[in-house]
Amino acid sequence: MERMYKSLPRMSAASQSRSTSSAVDDPSQHVTIASNASIAETRATYEAWAAKSRFEYCDLELKDAHGSSSSPPNYKFSYNHDARMLVNSDMPKRSLAIARELAVLTTNLPVAWDSSVFLRVDESRVDIIKALITGPEGTPYENGCYMFDIFLGASYNHTPPLVKYLTTNNGTYRFNPNLYAEGKVCLSLLGTWDGPGWISGKSTLLQVLISIQSMILCEEPYLNEPGWASQAGTPASKAYSANVRRMVVNTAMLGNLKNPPEPFQDVVKTHFRLKAKAITEQLDKWLTMDDGIATNGANNGGYGVPASSNNTPGLAFQNDVKELKALLRTIQEEA
């Protein structure tokens, strides 16, 4: 592990201090957008912040009350057991592959107003990674924040990374046919879905992240289920997307803003603050698109638009939107 750590690209001192300081001291918290800023200026400010914040090292070790680590260390991580098993390993080829990938990821993670990818890598165990993807514009996932744990295992990059989805409302929401409530990510690159698989020594983590961003967090997620792939634009597909939007507002937006997940507290807060106006407009639009059906966390597609639906948004959805709008106003005022 020491060999791998020494071979890694390092971030600037400013970036390193940002990853270890409190949210109050984080420079990203002071990025602001003038109330009279044009759309182009607003987008440019957001994208400049995202480019600076997309990749950072941080401390993911679990410490005791005295700030001490166990031996071997435990981590705030879904694959903690796997990581501890490799604590004293020395695999030069794996280390070189990881170092090369991280060198690319530091400056090549996609960042845009429409959707961005952020990574946090443990400062001493760079095979332990957390990712946050913001939902692409024009999809039912728009502007939500979706978290993943990623572990680059013992045979990486000859085999794919382990990836677990975390934004599940405590294991109750299935946001997509490819994102299970228990955290499974179905993707051919990961060997968990049909299609072109991982190419030993050639496929990359960046490909995995972009595939999740573009193929899973998509415009019509109902079609990701093979048995439903021919039902584009059907009432069942529209109902599925409406159900996703309700879950997104409740968990990927409101839930994350109320309790920003580690180590992305600054990213979540700044994302919502800089896009508050656009997200408020998005919420108004989503209210008009809601079918009034109660949220179905299983999201199994076994429902359509009932005859009793009058396209009036449900009370729970209205309340979530109202609370989220209030929080957006508050974080704008605090800036």
Side-chain angles (χ1 to χ4, degrees), residues 81-100:
H81 174 75
D82 302 81
R84 298 185 86 208
M85 293 291 289
L86 295 182
V87 69
N88 293 316
S89 64
D90 185 17
M91 294 172 276
K93 290 184 178 179
R94 170 180 178 261
S95 300
L96 181 59
I98 292 175
R100 285 174 173 169

Side-chain angles (χ1 to χ4, degrees), residues 23-250:
V24 174
D25 297 326
D26 193 324
S28 68
Q29 295 298 314
H30 305 299
V31 178
T32 58
I33 295 175
S35 58
N36 62 346
S38 66
I39 294 176
E41 290 170 334
T42 300
R43 287 173 175 251
T45 299
Y46 181 91
E47 290 175 356
W49 159 75
K52 292 179 180 178
S53 304
R54 60 185 159 187
F55 186 102
E56 292 180 2
Y57 294 101
C58 63
D59 184 4
L60 295 174
E61 278 190 29
L62 285 171
K63 306 290 199 305
D64 62 22
H66 304 289
S68 300
S69 300
S70 58
S71 182
N74 282 293
Y75 299 90
K76 308 166 189 174
F77 190 59
S78 301
Y79 301 105
N80 179 53
H81 174 75
D82 302 81
R84 298 185 86 208
M85 293 291 289
L86 295 182
V87 69
N88 293 316
S89 64
D90 185 17
M91 294 172 276
K93 290 184 178 179
R94 170 180 178 261
S95 300
L96 181 59
I98 292 175
R100 285 174 173 169
E101 282 214 46
L102 293 182
V104 172
L105 290 169
T106 55
T107 56
N108 286 276
L109 289 170
V111 291
W113 173 264
D114 295 348
S115 178
S116 298
V117 178
F118 301 87
L119 287 191
R120 296 295 179 262
V121 180
D122 186 77
E123 59 191 9
S124 59
R125 284 292 305 272
V126 294
D127 48 356
I128 296 175
I129 300 172
K130 287 182 175 285
L132 182 153
I133 301 176
T134 59
E137 187 173 342
T139 73
Y141 305 97
E142 184 173 353
N143 283 318
C145 293
Y146 309 92
M147 262 64 68
F148 301 83
D149 274 355
I150 300 168
F151 182 59
L152 310 181
S155 56
Y156 191 80
N157 64 351
H158 294 293
T159 57
L162 298 175
V163 181
K164 184 171 183 177
Y165 178 57
L166 303 177
T167 310
T168 64
N169 193 27
N170 297 315
T172 62
Y173 280 179
R174 183 178 180 180
F175 277 77
N176 187 285
N178 300 74
L179 297 175
Y180 283 68
E182 65 268 25
K184 181 180 179 181
V185 177
C186 291
L187 192 67
S188 63
L189 270 175
L190 300 178
T192 53
W193 197 253
D194 292 335
W198 186 267
I199 301 175
S200 177
K202 294 184 178 180
S203 295
T204 65
L205 176 57
L206 183 60
Q207 287 178 296
V208 172
L209 294 167
I210 292 176
S211 294
I212 294 171
Q213 181 189 36
S214 60
M215 297 173 64
I216 295 181
L217 303 178
C218 59
E219 184 177 357
E220 199 168 359
Y222 189 78
L223 307 184
N224 280 13
E225 183 64 48
W228 308 333
S230 63
Q231 299 188 46
T234 61
S237 180
K238 292 177 181 178
Y240 190 96
S241 291
N243 192 54
V244 169
R245 288 191 291 269
R246 288 188 290 272
M247 293 191 290
V248 167
V249 171
N250 177 267

